[in-house]
Amino acid sequence: MENLLELKDLYVRYNVKSSFYDMISGKKRKHVHAVNGVDFEIGKGEIFSLVGESGSGKTTVGRAILGLLDRNQVIGNILFNGKDILNAGRQGLKQYRLNAQMIFQDPYQSLDPKNTIFQIVSEPLIVNNITNNKNELYERVIAALNQAGMEPVKDIINRYPHELSGGQRQRVAIAGAMVLNPSFIVADEPVSMLDVSIRADILKLMVELRDKNNVSYLFITHDLSLAWVMSDRIAIMYLGKILEMGGSDEVIKSPVNPYSKALIEAIPRIGAKSGKDNVRIYGEIPDPINLPEGCVFYSRCPYAKDICRKEEPVLKEIMKNHFAACHLQ
Ligand code: SF4
């Protein structure tokens, strides 16, 4: 599969505002190390999931890829169709933004309540000077809403977001992302705010759009079972690093890193028994301001050894296209 997106050694670092006392005593400025050396690629038409707890850096990776962060906060390379988008000029960036869209977590907040559905879905076409022609706008909005499975479309385009259900709103958000015919979509927890009963429909729609339009997705989620259902490949993130990455079946059936094992064992299963080999983790993800030395998972890992505290494990290929970072291998 040909690559659409490649991330090489991506770092994202935010400045933390100094306290008044720190400032007058000349203390060094602190930083949040949100992403700490992430590499992966996404093929054309591939669904790639980033999975991790809150604070793992998965959303920050998505925002960095879409150019939504301050350029000074991002270090590394992001290549889209082989072109470096971090150093793209205005024209290059404009072209990239037509091709790369985002579906947000919260359809209640991502849609402007003052605008009709027609205004919301047509906005990207107008803002990007694709067309101002009323007939063409109408045709393209109807086509995008149809693609997103909204019906009856003609009844809906003049309504406001508050008149729609959560599932319908997320379909509108998907139509807004699809109206520019992008080749890449970052979907950040796209169903976590929806009722369980409509989640499957939205996920099915996303897969159908991939199959039909060859769109690639970066699917960001805390839910490993959803990632498994949705994706071709999965990467598990912790404290800004990828600890394991591979085909979804391989990662779920043969996890190597104890953190991956713990996430898999936390998936509720009917009839599952807990055994002495089950990996349980406790506590919270550490503070990304003071990154630990050695393995980032050291403080919570039930298998941690002395070396884990001193030496950071590197991501190695342990089976074909299955990578893991852990000293236990
Ligand atoms: Fe646990 Fe050590 Fe592996 Fe890190 S390197 S996951 S601390 S066993």
Side-chain angles (χ1 to χ4, degrees), residues 55-56 88-89 103 111-112 135 195 248 255 260 290:
S56 60
I103 300 170
L111 306 181
D112 187 338
N135 288 341
D195 285 348
S248 354
S260 316
N290 302 306

Side-chain angles (χ1 to χ4, degrees), residues 106-123:
D106 187 351
Y108 296 86
Q109 289 200 348
S110 61
L111 306 181
D112 187 338
K114 298 187 295 305
N115 286 342
T116 63
I117 303 311
F118 177 79
Q119 287 168 322
I120 290 168
V121 180
S122 61
E123 192 186 337

Side-chain angles (χ1 to χ4, degrees), residues 35-291:
V35 179
N36 301 300
V38 162
D39 297 74
F40 63 77
E41 65 290 327
I42 301 180
K44 292 188 173 168
E46 184 178 32
I47 303 182
F48 180 83
S49 284
L50 269 187
V51 185
E53 291 168 274
S54 144
S56 60
K58 57 192 190 305
T59 292
T60 308
V61 170
R63 297 179 75 83
I65 290 172
L66 289 180
L68 300 177
L69 301 179
D70 183 332
R71 177 65 188 85
N72 298 321
Q73 296 168 335
V74 186
I75 303 169
N77 290 103
I78 302 174
L79 305 179
F80 188 78
N81 272 325
K83 292 191 182 130
D84 178 4
I85 60 128
L86 283 180
N87 295 307
R90 252 178 93 180
Q91 199 52 36
L93 215 51
K94 191 178 165 202
Q95 199 55 41
Y96 170 64
R97 289 198 170 128
L98 295 178
N99 266 315
Q101 296 290 311
M102 184 154 192
I103 300 170
F104 292 93
Q105 176 178 13
D106 187 351
Y108 296 86
Q109 289 200 348
S110 61
L111 306 181
D112 187 338
K114 298 187 295 305
N115 286 342
T116 63
I117 303 311
F118 177 79
Q119 287 168 322
I120 290 168
V121 180
S122 61
E123 192 186 337
L125 296 166
I126 298 167
V127 169
N128 290 293
N129 292 324
I130 307 291
T131 180
N132 265 320
N133 178 294
K134 274 191 178 162
N135 288 341
E136 196 183 341
L137 278 177
Y138 183 78
E139 298 285 320
R140 289 189 67 163
V141 168
I142 294 282
L145 287 167
N146 270 328
Q147 266 201 331
M150 290 291 280
E151 52 187 28
V153 173
K154 287 182 182 156
D155 280 1
I156 283 164
I157 54 170
N158 293 320
R159 292 201 202 161
Y160 289 87
H162 73 269
E163 297 176 275
L164 306 182
S165 68
Q168 285 177 315
R169 288 184 212 205
Q170 199 58 308
R171 284 180 193 274
V172 170
I174 292 172
M178 294 302 295
V179 75
L180 291 171
N181 295 327
S183 50
F184 176 59
I185 291 183
V186 174
D188 188 0
E189 305 271 12
V191 294
S192 62
M193 304 285 286
L194 302 179
D195 285 348
V196 175
S197 57
I198 45 180
R199 284 183 189 178
D201 287 346
I202 297 293
L203 295 174
K204 194 166 150 249
L205 168 67
M206 288 172 62
V207 174
E208 280 169 7
L209 291 175
R210 183 277 294 271
D211 295 344
K212 211 164 128 206
N213 302 350
N214 206 33
V215 181
S216 308
Y217 287 97
L218 173 62
F219 186 74
I220 297 171
T221 179
H222 66 281
D223 186 334
L224 193 51
S225 57
L226 267 193
W228 176 60
V229 171
M230 279 296 285
S231 356
D232 302 300
R233 285 186 305 132
I234 291 175
I236 295 184
M237 275 192 84
Y238 187 83
L239 209 56
K241 287 184 179 288
I242 290 179
L243 296 187
E244 187 148 0
M245 176 166 68
S248 354
D249 281 349
E250 287 76 34
V251 170
I252 297 290
K253 287 182 191 154
S254 320
V256 172
N257 188 287
Y259 181 58
S260 316
K261 290 183 184 174
L263 289 185
I264 292 163
E265 279 163 21
I267 298 172
R269 276 161 294 176
I270 294 168
K273 292 186 186 131
S274 59
K276 66 176 172 43
D277 295 331
N278 286 9
V279 183
R280 297 242 189 286
I281 53 169
Y282 302 96
E284 301 282 319
I285 202 161
D287 183 356
I289 294 178
N290 302 306
L291 281 186

Side-chain angles (χ1 to χ4, degrees), residues 257-258 295 297-298 301 303-305 308 313 325-328:
N257 188 287
C295 176
F297 189 50
Y298 174 80
C301 180
Y303 301 109
K305 303 184 285 186
C308 307
C326 182
H327 289 306
L328 290 183

